[in-house]
Amino acid sequence: MPTQPDLSLLPQLVPEQEFLSCYVPTVYGPIEFREWKSQLERINDLLRLSQVEERFQRLSLAQRNQSEQRKAEKENRPFYVWSTVEQESYQRLCSQVLRCNVARTLTGESLRDFGCRLAESGLLQWFCKLERLDAAVRIPGKSALQRYAQWLPEAEMRNVIDTLLGAASDDKNESGQALDLAKGLDLEAYFLDTTCVKLNMHFPVDWVLLRDATRTLMKATMLIRKRNLKVRMEEPEEFLKRMNQLCMKMTHARRKKEAKRARKAVLREMKKLTKVIAGHAERHRDLLEEQWQETDLKEGEARQIIQRITTVLEQLPQAIRQAHERIIGERQVKNADKVLSLYEEHAAVYVRGKAGAEVEFGSQLLLGEAESGVIVDWELVRGNPLADTKMLGRSLERMKQMSAGAAIEQVASDRGFDSPSNRALLEQEGIYNGICPKSPAELKKKMKDPDFVKLQQRRSQTEARIAIFKNGFLGSPLLSKGHENQSREVAWSVLAHNLWVIARLPRAGARALAKAS
């Protein structure tokens, strides 16, 4: 559970030297560019005034010190203390990491495309603190940007986002002294709902999983054999060719008169071929484990190839059994026992029951927003989706650890969150219950309460907020791999979304200027 860190325990920052930066010219013409430039300038101010950048630097330094301490203890050597110049350089790198991730999320571009755009855009170089007059511009590439996206764990990112919300909701904002807002954020009302985040995976056809396993195992085997580590077998390309032929036979089998018998016969051939392929891949993996030092592979590269083969081999028996049960045995498999993807083992079946999306495959996502539209809490569920009634208590428990959660006085959601335990929880916490009740009689009674009606009218906008977040910031499908990295990506998207929302709010200076005129 994330907790607010004690600032006195975080490393102190050293003063950073200011460098002369290139002048970003004023561009007349496209209003879209002027709005984009104004937005980045406002977000630049928010990062500085809210101390989000400072908090990110200190959390990064703390993580680096902990990692270095563990490494020193493992190698039985003294802890290396950075000099002032080294720490200053690392702080500047942390600022670039933060800003590159925010800018890439705002643009919605891939790692490669954003690297190209960053190289050709002076505005983005200024925002990301990459351009200098006294040195050549060094643009991070795809691999560096990927490392940036995995810079801090999700728990630390929650603290960064809480810093932003705390600054934006500060009472000082009434006079425009904190973030230059005309009015501080109102976090008293809390609106939440759940959705399904699609993962980067194809439709989970049973026999296609065997094809996926073949491709992964044989491609990994080819990498090993290129290093002259070989066991006796046919060339891997021959196995890929045979599996592709069987896949085409399986596709056309359904058009035949005896489709079921033909599909069963093809699946038996696929099972037999897959087991042979698994045996060859396993022997190559064991050979690489023993003799990787004799190749040109680095330890991390060898470990990656070994892990790739091991992950598929561990799930392959269950995938074969699943295909056998559904095609040959003609028996259903429970959703909890299904293998939906060999690469996203936490993917789950999400029964939506909506037009065009009866069933979705991915991860359940809870989003909670304030009345202003900023997201104050989220949770990406690992594995099978949970009932909405169980999500409310988990969310409120997380909110207790955050400064933004102390201001919650009202909770509103749809009837999926209504339950006796949730009603008792809200009453115990002294929070107004604006959740739509499941009972029609109880709903008719509560509709006489103007506060309840107001909250329910506002709750309808949460659906739009989810669509904006998923399609405009997070991306659909979610391209990162693994639940841990996907949780980080959700956190980065929440930070960029909240900066985008706050940057569009009226400013105190603009309001005072309007009154004076």
Side-chain angles (χ1 to χ4, degrees), residues 421-436:
S421 59
N422 284 343
R423 290 194 292 268
L425 175 63
L426 293 177
E427 183 177 358
Q428 178 183 353
E429 297 290 337
I431 300 175
Y432 179 81
N433 185 2
I435 300 176
C436 180

Side-chain angles (χ1 to χ4, degrees), residues 165 388 413:
L165 296 178
D388 288 351
S413 187

Side-chain angles (χ1 to χ4, degrees), residues 473-493:
F473 292 87
L474 189 59
S476 183
L478 195 59
L479 298 180
S480 54
K481 297 181 180 180
H483 183 266
E484 183 179 353
N485 291 332
Q486 290 163 0
S487 298
R488 283 197 189 100
E489 187 167 347
V490 172
W492 278 110
S493 299

Side-chain angles (χ1 to χ4, degrees), residues 225-241:
R225 291 173 68 88
K226 285 181 179 179
R227 272 71 188 183
N228 291 324
L229 299 179
K230 299 180 180 181
V231 298
R232 187 172 182 180
M233 64 173 288
E234 296 183 64
E235 290 300 323
E237 291 85 353
E238 183 64 26
F239 290 99
L240 291 173
K241 178 181 177 181

